[in-house]
Amino acid sequence: MKSLVKRIQTFNKNRDPELVQRKYKLMRADVFSFYRGTCHLFYQDWPAKSELNETPLAWLSGDLHLENFGSYKGDNRLVYFDINDFDESALAPCTWDLARMLTSILVGKDALGVDDEQAELLCQLFVDKYAQAIATGHARMVERATANGLIGDLLNSLKARSRKVFLDQHTEKHGRQRRLCIDGVHTLAVSRDDRDMVMALIETWRKTQSDPDFLSVIDVAHHVAGTGSLGLQNFLLLVQGDGSPNTNFLVTLKEEPPSSLSPYLTIKQPKWENDAARVVASQQRLQGTSPALLSAVPDAQRAYILREYQPIEDRVALDQWNGKFGRIEKLIGTLGEIVAWDQLRSSGRQGSAIADELIAFGSDTTWQQPLLDYAHRYSEQVKADYATFCTTYDKAEFAPAS
């Protein structure tokens, strides 16, 4: 097998070199950041022969971890909380998402602010709540009216946020027009070529929409977000919306490459028009209500996902349980239920197990301990890989060639 350095460099070789260096710097910060930036390693290491591969097929996020849940506005303008990252989505055994999530709890315990014993309890709780929820066969949704605890705190905090205040946080006003703020951290200036490409792409695509004026582009910036996707083309767009200056909209346009799972899948996948279409279809199946403006926007070379901009602040503050362990237990239990509900909601679609199979799976217990055992073993592998990464990063082996 290739060395860890080669595996990581090979995966990132066709991405923007400057942003890849930012990605490596983020991955160096802590083991949880390293884990979030190396989804491809998880599936490269996944055993080809395992009883966890014999579980019901489901539509998966593919990169399920603690920070890939968050709030979003649906196309009905109501706010929901759900899985919010589907870049790696695929049809695969349902336990693959569960194993990645459990591993994230173990390697992300510092982000959660818990000790080893508490992390163990949270893993078991996640599995228990997932199994109980999927065994009911009934898919629910988390919205503001029903949310409580840390998720309720988040959704209630967003209720009072006006569009003007939101725009003021991300743009500068010049008379009756706005321009995007370029802060050098989350937003970078675009080249003339990139601006022209984005403007032309959206100009062509929006003319096919029912309200083409809404998506008339006012300004474009590079959007720097996430860890795993850094280095791919990702733009933040200020669009006309319902009018300037206070009812403009912010949307993102992100390049979608193939899923990290695709080289390791033996399950036949649908024939998608492109990878953006894969992500949109998966997200629409898993979530009860789709995010506003969610669309696949292809051009001749790449495929992009267009969606309403969702700031990183619109996630649960994982460490804000204020010494009350019951609050973090409630959060992790709800995440387990959300995964179950999303798998039930997408059941029986293009090869995924029907609800009856998932109900039977949830009522069985034989898969639970092997799943927990694998997550524990693999979390140790992640820690070892992170230590190797730190050593090689500090020796500048990940620096760009001079």
Side-chain angles (χ1 to χ4, degrees), residues 29-330:
D30 55 67
V31 66
F32 186 42
S33 298
F34 173 80
Y35 182 68
R36 299 200 317 269
T38 54
C39 181
H40 59 101
L41 295 183
F42 184 86
Y43 292 106
Q44 286 174 3
D45 293 340
W46 185 265
K49 294 185 181 297
S50 168
E51 59 193 299
L52 299 176
N53 295 336
E54 306 304 319
T55 55
L57 299 181
W59 286 103
L60 307 184
S61 156
D63 187 17
L64 199 68
H65 61 69
L66 287 164
E67 291 203 347
N68 274 347
F69 295 80
S71 69
Y72 68 94
K73 275 192 175 179
D75 50 18
N76 57 5
R77 307 315 296 160
L78 298 179
V79 179
Y80 299 92
F81 184 89
D82 208 326
I83 300 170
N84 66 357
D85 190 307
F86 299 88
D87 294 339
E88 313 296 348
S89 57
L91 178 67
C94 63
T95 42
W96 290 19
D97 256 0
L98 305 183
R100 183 145 177 84
M101 177 64 187
L102 290 170
T103 304
S104 85
I105 294 172
L106 295 169
V107 301
K109 64 183 181 66
D110 290 340
L112 283 169
V114 300
D115 59 28
D116 290 343
E117 182 179 355
Q118 290 170 324
E120 298 273 353
L121 290 172
L122 293 176
C123 285
Q124 186 64 61
L125 177 64
F126 177 87
V127 170
D128 290 344
K129 289 295 185 179
Y130 166 86
Q132 292 165 15
I134 211 161
T136 69
H138 179 62
R140 297 175 55 196
M141 298 171 63
V142 179
E143 52 188 313
R144 189 178 59 80
T146 58
N148 52 33
L150 291 169
I151 297 173
D153 292 347
L154 169 64
L155 299 189
N156 285 322
S157 72
L158 299 176
K159 181 186 177 184
R161 185 173 69 190
S162 71
R163 178 155 300 280
K164 179 181 181 301
V165 169
F166 180 62
L167 287 168
D168 287 345
Q169 292 171 340
H170 300 283
T171 66
E172 298 172 343
K173 221 165 40 164
H174 301 275
R176 289 192 54 80
Q177 289 293 322
R178 292 182 180 272
R179 287 289 181 267
L180 292 168
C181 295
I182 305 299
D183 63 12
V185 178
H186 302 297
T187 50
L188 305 173
V190 294
S191 67
R192 181 182 295 274
D193 286 347
D194 280 345
R195 178 184 295 273
D196 290 347
M197 182 276 293
V198 170
M199 298 285 278
L201 179 61
I202 297 299
E203 182 65 21
T204 299
W205 180 79
R206 73 184 183 89
K207 290 177 180 177
T208 67
Q209 304 305 298
S210 58
D211 187 4
D213 291 341
F214 188 95
L215 284 166
S216 179
V217 179
I218 298 170
D219 200 11
V220 183
H222 279 296
H223 184 214
V224 182
T227 303
S229 62
L230 271 179
L232 298 171
Q233 287 196 344
N234 193 354
F235 302 98
L236 181 64
L237 280 58
L238 176 68
V239 301
Q240 182 69 18
D242 294 320
S244 296
N246 294 331
T247 52
N248 296 144
F249 263 65
L250 295 173
V251 300
T252 55
L253 186 73
K254 186 172 78 169
E255 176 187 358
E256 284 297 340
S259 168
S260 294
L261 283 70
S262 57
Y264 315 105
L265 291 167
T266 59
I267 309 301
K268 184 178 180 181
Q269 304 293 303
K271 187 175 182 180
W272 305 110
E273 183 177 348
N274 52 60
D275 281 291
R278 167 183 58 82
V279 173
V280 168
S282 301
Q283 187 160 357
Q284 289 174 336
R285 291 172 184 184
L286 286 154
Q287 294 178 330
T289 299
S290 298
L293 305 176
L294 179 65
S295 304
V297 183
D299 71 3
Q301 285 78 39
R302 297 180 174 89
Y304 299 86
I305 292 285
L306 179 84
R307 59 164 65 90
E308 186 173 1
Y309 172 51
Q310 199 66 52
I312 190 171
E313 293 83 1
D314 293 359
R315 295 176 181 167
V316 169
L318 294 173
D319 59 351
Q320 296 302 305
W321 41 282
N322 302 325
K324 298 176 181 177
F325 190 61
R327 281 169 62 80
I328 200 70
E329 286 183 303
K330 177 64 178 175

